[in-house]
Every structure is written in C-alpha cells, then in structure tokens.
Amino acid sequence: MCTFMESSEHKKMNVESNSDSNASSDLPSNQPESADILQSTDQSENLTGGHQPPEQADETQHIENDPVVSVSAIGERQAAEDVLDEESVFYNYSDYVSQPSCSENSQLPSDLLSLYYSFGYDCKKRHNLHLMDEETVMFAAGNLLQILNLRTKEQKYLRTTSGGGIGAIAVHPSRCYLAVAENGEMPNINVFEYPSMKLFKILRGGTQRAYASVDFSPDGTLLASVGANPDYMLTVWRWKKEVTMLRYKAFSQDVFNVSFSPENSGHLTTSGSGHIRFWTMARTFTGLKLQGELGRFGLTEISDIEGYVELPDGKVLSGSESGNMLLWEGGLIKVEITRKGNKTCHQGAIMQFVMDEGELITVGEDGNIRVWDFETIDQADTTDDSVKFELEPMRELRVGSTAVLQSMVKSLNPDTPTIWYAQDARGGIWKVDLAISLTSKEPEQLFFYHAGSVTSCDVSPVTHLLATTGVDGSVRVYDYAGKTSICNSRYNAGGTSLIWLPKSVDSQGSTFVAGFEDGVVRVLGLVKQSRRDAALHQADSSELVLRQVFKPHKERVTCMALDSHAKLMATAGADGTVFFFGVGEEFSPIGFISTPALASHMSWSPANFPRNTLLISFSDGQVLEVEAPDDSSHDSAKTYQISGLKTRQYKFKSVKSKIQREEEMKRKAEEKAKKLKEKEEERRKRKAQGIKEDEEDEEEDMIEVEEEKEQPLYYPEEPSPILQGFYSKTPDRFWLTLDGYDTGYLYQCSFQDEEASLDRDTLGEPNMAVLLESLDSIAVRCIGFSESEPHLVMGLGNGAVRLQTLADNAKDFGDLGPQWTINMHDNCYGQVNKVTLSYDRGFLISVGCDGNIFIYKCREEGVIEKALSMTRIPSAKVLNVTN
C-alpha cells in the first residue's frame, strides 16, 4: 500500500476575502523588513530512511529595497541551490505510488489487473496537453500521467500517489522537471525529473481536496498553485526546498488558472468564475505579503475569465464569455476590444493568450487561432463611454471544421518554429502551422478520441475487438490486443448504449447495435475495405457500414437488452416506452409497452429459467417484470402498442437507516454489556473485601438498565434511483444496486403481492442487504458477471474498478468474498459507465465519463480461485431484512 509522509506543520492561514488583500508569508513576526524570503539556511534533508519535510526556513538575507520582489533577485539567490541540485537525491517512487486496495487478510495479488493500453483522452480538461521534448507530450488520464510519443505513438504511464486523480500539470521552463498536482484528501504536488521521471520533490499541504492550476515562474525558481473547492487557496512555493513561501485565499468561487508574469516573478494573475485578480508579492513593514486586487468590470458585463496574458508593461489582456478581449489596467477595464461591425473577436470564450516572438495569439473555443497587432492593443484607448475598441486580426487559422480548441503548445524542434500542437475538446490533438502562408500545411489531426463521456461499450464474441459510443455521437472500433484504432463513424446525436451481437446472430461476430440520444437505433457492421478504399484511407483496414436503422422512441434511448436466446431485443426510451424487436437476419419490430417512469436498466432472465421475462429498473426506485411478447399473437398492422402481457411490479423501500440503527443498537448493547460486566466484577471484589455498596451506585445501575429511546428511521424524500437490476440465480428473486442515499449495499429483492402482504410496513423492503466493503457513499454504476467466473466486475461512481469475488461454492451473487479495487478514472467526474470482459476473459475494459478507455490485462486463469482457497476471512455482512 502507499506510504504517506507527514507534512510539515504550517501556521494558520489568513483567508479573508477582500478586493485589496494582503497575504503574509510564514515568516516569524520579528523578521526584519528586509528579510529575503528567497534565500534559505535550511538544514539539508536526511534522505537515508526517506525524504523528511524540511523545517521552516530561517530567512536572513538582504536584497534590494524594492517593494516588489524582482526576477533578478530570485535568479541570483537560486543559483547556488541549483549547483547543489546537480547531485540530487530522489524519493523512492514505489514507496509512494497508489496501490489497489484489497480486503484485509485476502490472498488476492496486487497485480490482479495490469494496465495494458489506453484509448482515451480527457480532452475537455483545462490545459491538458504538455510538450516535454520534440516528440513527447503528456496529459492527465484519470489516475495516470500518460506519456505519449507523437511519432511512434508509444504510451507510458505514471500512477498518482494519492489515488485521487490529477488536478493540474505544469512544465518547468527548462523542460527538466514537471509538477503534477494531485487530487484527494490533502493532496500533494509531486515534482518529477524529466526524462528519468524520478520523483524529485513533494510539496505538501497546499490545498484540502484538489488543485485547479499550477505554474512555474519564468526563471523556474518558484511554483504557484491554486486549490479548488472548498478552500481555493493560492500558494507560492520555493519548490526545491519544499516550503511554502506565501499563501492566501484566491477567491470564493471556482478559480481556473494561476500564472506568473512572463516579465516579473513578483506578479501573478488568477482568473475563474466571474472574476480576475492581480497579485503582487510586495514587501511591507510586517514582511513579504501577497497583495491581491480584484478586477472591476464596471459597465462591462461580468464574465468568467478563461485565458489571459500579462503584457510587458504590466497591463493584462483577458478574454470573456462573449468572445471579446478585455484590456485591464490598475484593476479596471481600460478598453473592450471587438472586431469591426460589432463582431466579437471569437465566437465564444477565448481559452488561451500567447505572446510569441512579439506577436499576440488568441486561441478560441470556436476553433480559430488569430494573430493580433500587439502594439495596437497595448496602446488601445477610447474617448467615449462605451470603452469599445475595434480591431481586426492580422492573420487567422481555422482548425478543422468542428474543433473546440482548449490550449496549444509550441514545438520544441528548432527546425519547425511555427509548428504548434493543439488540444481539441472535440476529441483530438492537432498539429498546426502558424506561419499561415500559401506554402504552410493545413492543420493535421494526429490523434482521434471520444469527446467527453464514453457512455457504453461491448466486445466482439470472436476476437479482440471493442466498440464504444459516447456523448459526442461517435462510434469507434478498436483492436485492443493490437493497441490500434480500427475505424469510426460520427452521427448527429450522442450515443447512449451499445450491444455486440453474439455468434448465434452473426457467425462472423461483426455486427453490433447502438442507441442514440435522438431515439434512433442503428445496426452497424464491421467490414473489410476494398483495396481501392483502403488506398484512400491507409490508416484504416476496416470500415463501419449501416445495415439497418429504425427510430422506436421519440426521445433518447436509455438502455437496451438482448435476451439469453438472442431472439428478442428490447430498447427503452426516455419517452416512457419499451420497444421489442425480433432478432434474425434483420430486426423486425414487434411492438411497445408504456412504462411508469424512466427506465435506467434492463436485464433478461437467464436461459435456464422456466419463463422468458424482462426485468426493467427505473430511476424512481420501481422495478417492472414483463413477460416476453409472442410475435405471432400480436397484430402490428393496427397498432404497435402491446397489451395483455403478464407483468409484476415492485417498489423499493429504503432499509439503510434501519440497518444503521440496528448496527448502532448492537454496538451500544455490546458496550453496555461490557460495562455491566466490569461493574459486576468490581462489585464482587468490593463485596469480598467487606465494602458496603453505595446507594448512588445502585441508582446509577438503574439508570443504565433503562432502555434507550429508538431513533426514528430516515427515508429519503426522493426515491433512490436504481442503477442496475439483474436476476438472482433462483427464479422470482433479483438484485439491485442504487444511487443516492441507498448506496453501499447489494440488495436482493422479490416481487410481493401487495394485497396478500401481512405486514404493510415492510412492503417493498428487500429480502437481503449485502454490505459492499468501503462503498458506503460510493455508487456501483455497473456490474459485469459471467456464470463461469467466480467474481463480479464493478464500475464505481468514483472512477474505480472493482473485482468482487464470490465466496467459495457461492450459491448466489450475495455470497461475497474478498474484493480488489483500483482507482483508474477521474475520481470527481470519471464515473465508470461500463465494464466488460473480453470474449476469452484475458482482458477487462472500462469506459468512463472522463473520456478515458482503459484496457487491463487479467492474471492467468485460476489466480482468483487459488486466492479464495487460501483466504480465511469472514463472509460479507448480510442483513436478512424480511423472511
């Protein structure tokens, strides 16, 4: 397991929020005004038994009497430290890297799953593309730092130390270091040396939960970080000494960015939700402080600020939600820059500003890169009350037809000084030439990914192929064993669900079905391209062809299910209907039924059950079982609406409060019994010594014997939504996983006759609630299982993947054994939408809302069975609610 070092103790932080704020450093109160915060007399760290956090520096050096800390002073004072760093000592990364968690005393190996490949990219994450050398980029991928070679496409990975995900990344100006700011409980900023990727420094205590942005100073001596909710803490670090220099609350709402001035490391800027703030590290009579001035919008509409840049003379140029540029001076908007004819500079937010070789470049989410006359902007002024200043760009470049640009980084190859690499929120990494001339090449998309959440996936029944779909409307096919993308198609509406048809339907194993946001269902086939087509598309050897399309729903398809005989398929829609199709060479419509609520999941009964039924779970806690329709008995010539099908209904009633109350009562009873036993022993000893018992002791015993009043049960106002429902191994019973208040358990339920029920108070309560270890407030979003496998595969709401073993000789899914869990997708917004095993059980795939697609290699067969036979742990906690 991961070992965490104690962080050095910091003094209390002043977090008052004022438009003109002063934040002092952690200097002693008697520190002289001329103290140099940048030179330390720290004792060298003892790294023999681990890297010890340094104590607070004793700052005693003197620098210029300038009220603002200068860049030259920083560089001079750091030079001596850089000499010492040539023989640096590193942390042992393996001692800190996050590990999978397992049930106590289990024999499950730590490498039960190992990451094999990644096909995703969190392209919507701010500033998630960083160039390290001429052909290497890095970006955050859930709980991984992914290192990608642009030429060979080889991938390498570095896991987080916290297991809480990555908040932000910054590259040192020398390209010799990079800072990875993590998320989690009191997360660290880890500084790695490049290209060795050795763990060089650990910065502790900068924020409570997550980092939003980090940035190195231009000379590389300082690092600035800003936290996310709840503290939004701005911290300036002397990172090579692992000490905090200055800190203050940046704002009371989301902060997107922090950066140093390109010209003066004593100036910083932060921006975010409805604000921009200008900071100065200034020397006051009480010591070095951060002075923050909040930008005042005046007559201009308040806006979120994404991109900005500080100009050489201290003015700041920022973007706005409207797409115009705002020139700030002295905390006020000097001018709002717009194009002629009242056209905005960009359509939508300006995500990034770049000063490059005297040119000012803007990057917009509208997909345009524009170059502006810097001198004109710097000297812009107005005479009227509108503060508007009209200006046209000198050059512009459109990247693709649908690109949504987030950021870009300049090539480090001296032979290609005009080449940049751009992050596209529509799922790509682009190579663009900003020479913008008749001879320059058109923008080239180097990598293609899903844009945003990957909503569903499924695997081929005959080979190592994977199909995925997502909110971007694309359907993609990968050869996951070969680590290659095969082909893709994009549609007008987002994809919601996907099923790869079994060999009994398509012996070639090349057909799958996808449902979409507009209610359309498409049957797609994977076919080899002709030689002529392949020559035109050399990257793809196969293509997707549309074999059939139908629109059974007026609104989005929420889920689909194929019965165990592969003869019927059901699709559920947000329009409150479930449509049935016959499955053959083509899908033939049978008809639909109306449902009482929004269907969240559907599952057919196993093949060995006496009746073929569909179990429909709903977002309001209801479950409906429907008998499979008979195509021959329904006349669809008149209407597709089916009537007369046998149904059974169930409404889940929360028992979590009852479980918790019973556990608390049991705990108190055991505690009381222990105390009574101790008192009885004490009384016996006193009696043996001839000491008479006091009346007060008797009265105290009387009070303790009194029954405690039961706490009232809690029931959520809104029913917890069911995430997944599937049949038990015995007919008439089924299992549910829920979101909201009722997370943390796997519930076994059964259909109940409301009229025949003897106890109305327990109507709707599950038969059994099986505790899921360490998941009290974490939802199980999806479960994959196989009759032949001794475990369940779970995708969790916090981005983790769990292998939940079943006990030896388990009779049902509630007979749980030890669990093995690894954090992979982003913990905040990377909930796992689907987990599935490959056809040969050699690989596991997970897809999430963070856009990541992870392929894992499974350990050889028999590993889990062997571990179970060696494991001696108690069975999972089970509450029999009703009998």
Side-chain angles (χ1 to χ4, degrees):
M1 296 301 294
C2 181
T3 303
F4 295 95
M5 306 292 290
E6 292 286 337
S7 61
S8 56
E9 188 178 23
H10 294 288
K11 299 183 183 295
K12 291 184 178 179
M13 298 175 289
N14 176 10
V15 292
E16 296 178 6
S17 180
N18 300 315
S19 59
D20 289 293
S21 54
N22 292 321
S24 62
S25 66
D26 293 335
L27 292 172
S29 58
N30 62 349
Q31 189 73 14
E33 182 178 348
S34 60
D36 179 8
I37 192 69
L38 305 174
Q39 179 66 37
S40 169
T41 57
D42 294 331
Q43 297 298 317
S44 60
E45 298 90 340
N46 176 15
L47 303 184
T48 304
H51 206 113
Q52 301 298 322
E55 300 297 326
Q56 177 62 46
D58 177 20
E59 313 291 353
T60 57
Q61 300 296 317
H62 180 79
I63 60 171
E64 308 167 42
N65 291 323
D66 191 335
V68 178
V69 178
S70 67
V71 181
S72 60
I74 294 174
E76 291 169 5
R77 296 299 180 264
Q78 192 67 38
E81 295 179 6
D82 289 340
V83 174
L84 295 176
D85 285 328
E86 291 179 3
E87 297 181 358
S88 301
V89 181
F90 299 89
Y91 289 94
N92 185 357
Y93 170 71
S94 61
D95 291 340
Y96 293 85
V97 63
S98 59
Q99 301 287 346
S101 62
C102 302
S103 297
E104 189 176 359
N105 298 324
S106 78
Q107 299 296 321
L108 295 174
S110 61
D111 60 345
L112 200 57
L113 293 178
S114 57
L115 183 65
Y116 182 74
Y117 201 71
S118 169
F119 286 110
Y121 175 40
D122 193 352
C123 60
K124 294 183 180 292
K125 186 180 182 71
R126 289 185 178 90
H127 303 289
N128 198 25
L129 185 66
H130 304 271
L131 192 63
M132 296 305 301
D133 56 39
E134 293 183 10
E135 55 184 32
T136 306
V137 295
M138 294 186 180
F139 48 83
N143 267 275
L144 303 174
L145 176 69
Q146 185 165 322
I147 306 165
L148 174 64
N149 187 296
L150 295 172
R151 181 178 56 83
T152 66
K153 300 184 180 180
E154 178 188 3
Q155 295 181 5
K156 296 180 181 179
Y157 318 97
L158 203 67
R159 277 194 62 80
T160 59
T161 58
S162 65
I166 296 174
I169 300 169
V171 178
H172 192 269
S174 68
R175 309 282 168 178
C176 294
Y177 307 100
L178 70 150
V180 181
E182 298 190 359
N183 297 336
E185 291 296 325
M186 296 302 295
N188 297 330
I189 301 175
N190 298 319
V191 181
F192 295 90
E193 185 190 58
Y194 184 82
S196 71
M197 298 309 295
K198 293 179 180 179
L199 181 54
F200 183 40
K201 300 293 178 183
I202 300 179
L203 311 182
R204 303 171 172 88
T207 190
Q208 295 179 36
R209 298 285 179 83
Y211 283 99
S213 180
V214 285
D215 186 47
F216 283 100
S217 59
D219 61 1
T221 58
L222 303 178
L223 178 75
S225 66
V226 65
N229 184 55
D231 57 86
Y232 308 110
M233 190 60 62
L234 171 63
T235 307
V236 179
W237 308 81
R238 294 179 62 242
W239 66 272
K240 285 193 175 181
K241 290 297 181 181
E242 298 178 309
V243 294
T244 299
M245 192 172 89
L246 295 166
R247 62 190 319 176
Y248 199 74
K249 186 166 184 174
F251 200 59
S252 58
Q253 298 180 50
D254 288 344
V255 183
F256 305 154
N257 302 296
V258 61
S259 64
F260 284 94
S261 163
E263 305 294 332
N264 191 334
S265 293
H267 291 171
L268 301 97
T269 304
T270 58
S271 73
S273 178
H275 79 283
I276 186 169
R277 203 165 195 172
F278 314 105
W279 302 86
T280 301
M281 288 188 283
R283 199 167 302 287
T284 69
F285 68 94
T286 58
L288 191 66
K289 294 182 181 293
L290 269 176
Q291 294 181 337
E293 183 176 15
L294 193 63
R296 297 181 286 278
F297 284 85
L299 298 176
T300 303
E301 184 178 358
I302 293 176
S303 169
D304 293 349
I305 304 293
E306 290 281 358
Y308 60 82
V309 64
E310 183 171 331
L311 306 181
D313 60 2
K315 293 195 287 289
V316 173
L317 184 66
S318 80
S320 63
E321 290 179 84
S322 69
N324 282 337
M325 294 185 284
L326 307 176
L327 184 63
W328 299 83
E329 185 175 32
L332 300 173
I333 295 177
K334 182 181 180 183
V335 293
E336 179 179 353
I337 299 171
T338 183
R339 298 179 69 180
K340 293 180 180 179
N342 206 29
K343 291 169 57 180
T344 56
C345 297
H346 284 271
Q347 296 295 317
I350 301 175
M351 303 303 295
Q352 184 182 12
F353 287 79
V354 178
M355 286 289 296
D356 182 60
E357 298 181 359
E359 292 187 327
L360 178 65
I361 304 169
T362 57
V363 179
E365 64 178 5
D366 58 0
N368 288 304
I369 300 171
R370 294 193 168 106
V371 182
W372 308 81
D373 187 337
F374 162 69
E375 293 293 340
T376 303
I377 289 177
D378 190 40
Q379 299 172 15
D381 204 350
T382 59
T383 55
D384 54 31
D385 295 333
S386 69
V387 303
K388 292 264 181 98
F389 181 88
E390 292 186 343
L391 182 68
E392 288 296 309
M394 297 189 299
R395 303 189 305 276
E396 63 180 6
L397 177 67
R398 172 69 192 184
V399 178
S401 58
T402 60
V404 180
L405 299 182
Q406 297 291 292
S407 66
M408 63 180 190
V409 288
K410 189 176 182 179
S411 169
L412 299 176
N413 188 339
D415 297 330
T416 56
T418 61
I419 296 298
W420 295 69
Y421 298 97
Q423 173 188 346
D424 178 9
R426 286 279 288 173
I429 296 176
W430 291 79
K431 180 180 179 181
V432 297
D433 187 350
L434 292 191
I436 313 179
S437 65
L438 295 176
T439 58
S440 59
K441 294 182 179 180
E442 289 292 316
E444 176 189 1
Q445 188 167 357
L446 301 178
F447 297 90
F448 298 79
Y449 304 95
H450 276 288
S453 176
V454 183
T455 53
S456 189
C457 71
D458 206 355
V459 293
S460 164
V462 298
T463 188
H464 292 123
L465 293 181
L466 167 73
T468 62
T469 189
V471 295
D472 60 353
S474 68
V475 175
R476 299 180 179 275
V477 180
Y478 305 94
D479 172 3
Y480 53 87
K483 303 179 180 180
T484 57
S485 175
I486 300 297
C487 57
N488 70 89
S489 294
R490 190 182 290 268
Y491 302 96
N492 293 329
T496 59
S497 52
L498 191 145
I499 298 174
W500 202 305
L501 299 179
K503 289 189 293 182
S504 59
V505 179
D506 176 9
S507 60
Q508 300 296 316
S510 62
T511 306
F512 55 87
V513 184
F516 294 86
E517 289 275 358
D518 56 2
V520 171
V521 175
R522 292 179 172 89
V523 183
L524 300 169
L526 184 66
V527 299
K528 292 285 186 181
Q529 289 181 320
S530 65
R531 290 185 178 180
R532 180 172 176 271
D533 291 337
L536 296 174
H537 306 86
Q538 294 180 5
D540 295 334
S541 60
S542 301
E543 63 179 343
L544 286 175
V545 296
L546 182 63
R547 290 182 171 165
Q548 195 175 353
V549 60
F550 35 88
K551 193 175 188 302
H553 304 286
K554 296 178 182 178
E555 299 179 45
R556 67 185 174 95
V557 178
T558 60
C559 51
M560 304 189 302
L562 187 71
D563 82 332
S564 55
H565 306 285
K567 298 296 184 183
L568 292 172
M569 186 180 77
T571 65
D575 57 357
T577 63
V578 170
F579 212 108
F580 295 93
F581 296 87
V583 180
E585 290 186 3
E586 288 191 344
F587 285 78
S588 56
I590 297 174
F592 71 90
I593 61 170
S594 297
T595 58
L598 181 70
S600 55
H601 187 267
M602 295 189 297
S603 178
W604 287 91
S605 56
N608 61 344
F609 275 28
R611 298 166 55 238
N612 193 18
T613 55
L614 178 67
L615 191 71
I616 311 172
S617 303
F618 297 97
S619 58
D620 66 348
Q622 293 189 73
V623 178
L624 178 68
E625 183 186 65
V626 183
E627 180 185 37
D630 185 355
D631 190 15
S632 60
S633 63
H634 175 67
D635 184 9
S636 60
K638 296 180 180 179
T639 177
Y640 276 114
Q641 185 161 9
I642 305 173
S643 59
L645 294 180
K646 291 181 181 180
T647 62
R648 291 193 290 180
Q649 286 185 287
Y650 170 83
K651 177 72 173 178
F652 179 83
K653 183 178 181 180
S654 177
V655 294
K656 190 171 184 177
S657 179
K658 179 186 286 189
I659 295 171
Q660 292 174 339
R661 187 176 73 175
E662 289 183 4
E663 290 177 345
E664 180 64 14
M665 289 174 64
K666 182 180 178 181
R667 185 192 65 79
K668 288 183 177 180
E670 291 174 351
E671 189 177 290
K672 184 181 293 185
K674 182 180 178 181
K675 286 183 178 180
L676 288 173
K677 186 177 180 180
E678 291 173 352
K679 277 191 170 293
E680 184 63 32
E681 181 65 21
E682 184 181 345
R683 187 180 290 115
R684 187 187 62 78
K685 290 180 180 179
R686 292 172 65 181
K687 187 176 181 180
Q689 296 173 4
I691 302 174
K692 188 177 180 181
E693 189 170 353
D694 296 337
E695 292 183 3
E696 290 183 2
D697 290 341
E698 293 179 358
E699 290 178 3
E700 186 178 338
D701 289 345
M702 292 284 289
I703 294 172
E704 288 185 356
V705 171
E706 290 181 7
E707 289 291 333
E708 290 189 21
K709 186 178 179 180
E710 284 189 349
Q711 294 295 319
L713 294 174
Y714 171 79
Y715 296 98
E717 293 183 8
E718 293 290 331
S720 298
I722 300 174
L723 297 174
Q724 186 165 343
F726 54 95
Y727 281 100
S728 175
K729 291 187 176 182
T730 57
D732 300 323
R733 294 179 183 268
F734 53 91
W735 294 92
L736 299 177
T737 66
L738 291 94
D739 202 355
Y741 174 75
D742 292 291
T743 58
Y745 292 86
L746 190 60
Y747 298 97
Q748 190 199 67
C749 309
S750 59
F751 293 102
Q752 301 165 347
D753 188 339
E754 188 172 343
E755 296 181 0
S757 178
L758 299 176
D759 188 353
R760 307 285 294 184
D761 292 336
T762 62
L763 186 66
E765 290 187 349
N767 309 323
M768 184 188 302
V770 182
L771 180 68
L772 297 173
E773 184 182 329
S774 306
L775 297 184
D776 180 65
S777 59
I778 301 172
V780 178
R781 303 294 307 182
C782 52
I783 298 179
F785 56 90
S786 170
E787 295 292 333
S788 60
E789 297 294 330
H791 58 267
L792 304 175
V793 183
M794 298 179 174
L796 306 184
N798 66 347
V801 172
R802 168 172 290 194
L803 292 184
Q804 176 62 69
T805 65
L806 300 178
D808 199 16
N809 299 318
K811 296 180 180 180
D812 206 344
F813 298 116
D815 300 331
L816 302 184
Q819 59 81 21
W820 184 96
T821 304
I822 186 168
N823 292 339
M824 285 300 299
H825 296 264
D826 189 273
N827 301 61
C828 299
Y829 56 87
Q831 70 179 38
V832 180
N833 291 322
K834 184 73 179 288
V835 285
T836 187
L837 289 163
S838 62
Y839 79 100
D840 59 359
R841 302 299 186 257
F843 294 89
L844 185 142
I845 297 101
S846 68
V847 300
C849 286
D850 56 359
N852 284 308
I853 303 169
F854 293 125
I855 314 297
Y856 316 84
K857 195 79 170 67
C858 302
R859 282 286 293 265
E860 63 273 10
E861 291 185 17
V863 171
I864 294 179
E865 292 89 337
K866 182 179 179 181
L868 287 175
S869 66
M870 298 172 63
T871 300
R872 296 290 180 265
I873 64 172
S875 299
K877 187 179 292 185
V878 176
L879 175 71
N880 291 309
V881 183
T882 58
N883 293 303

